[in-house]
Amino acid sequence: LAHLLRSRRRLGHKEVLALAEQVGSVIDAASERGIVHRDIKPQNLFRTAVDDEVVWKVLDFGASKLAEHSGTLTQGRVVGTPAYMSPQQAKGQDVDSAADRYCLAAIAYRCLAGRPPFSGKDLPTTLFNVVYGTPPQPSIVCDVTPEVDYVLAIGMAKEPQSRFTTAKQFADALEAAGKGKIEPQLEHHAKAL
């Protein structure tokens, strides 16, 4: 994905939706097995074709951990890629699959908006922005519906309990948002965030 985004600044909604569905299914499957990837980023997403159909694969589980085990060699240290990591990761806190779902939403943001949700002149600034900042609404910087703004706001919520509870829920909401539809309770939740 990183290579693709170097040649194309943005991806279309259908392409991002396919990515969200497929990568999301891997995140959900890993979560069901108690695995947290902790470094979902464009460099770890590989696009291939199977029978002329695009297939996204998740690579590099080297930074992953078992959700039930908080004791790791990296405990209390930042693990992941700053532009895509969750606020909990940026703070060096223990994380669960909600962090991986956050990463997926941040990647969807990058693919649609043509820029990462957070950046900075250096690592501390980027981490500060991840924890305390709010990215521009995608509908301001690219041609997406306001409903996409709502879905991404929930997907990248600062608190894990405010995010979608599965990556499938995120992908389903993103699909509906592309058509200008969203459940009223999701819109209300996003506006509150």
Side-chain angles (χ1 to χ4, degrees), residues 30 33-38 63-72 94-96:
R33 289 161 181 80
I35 300 169
V36 183
H37 188 286
R38 297 197 302 177
S64 66
K65 74 173 198 94
L66 293 175
E68 61 190 35
H69 295 91
S70 61
T72 68
D94 193 38
V95 295
D96 60 16

Side-chain angles (χ1 to χ4, degrees), residues 125-148:
T125 304
T126 302
L127 293 175
F128 181 88
N129 291 337
V130 167
V131 174
Y132 299 106
T134 302
Q137 293 176 333
S139 64
I140 294 172
V141 297
C142 64
D143 186 24
V144 297
T145 67
E147 289 80 7
V148 171

Side-chain angles (χ1 to χ4, degrees), residues 1-2 5 9 38-45 79-90 98-111 114-119 126-127 130 155-156 163:
L1 179 60
L5 291 173
R9 187 170 176 208
R38 297 197 302 177
D39 198 20
I40 304 284
K41 60 183 177 182
Q43 293 85 344
N44 286 339
L45 301 181
V79 175
T81 302
Y84 300 100
M85 70 173 48
S86 72
Q88 291 69 37
Q89 284 173 280
D100 288 346
R101 292 191 302 274
Y102 176 99
C103 295
L104 178 60
I107 288 170
Y109 181 103
R110 163 61 183 94
C111 291
R115 53 162 284 186
F118 299 104
S119 61
T126 302
L127 293 175
V130 167
M156 294 189 302
R163 299 177 199 143

Side-chain angles (χ1 to χ4, degrees), residues 166-177:
T166 66
K168 182 175 182 356
Q169 287 177 342
F170 169 73
D172 289 348
L174 191 61
E175 180 179 22

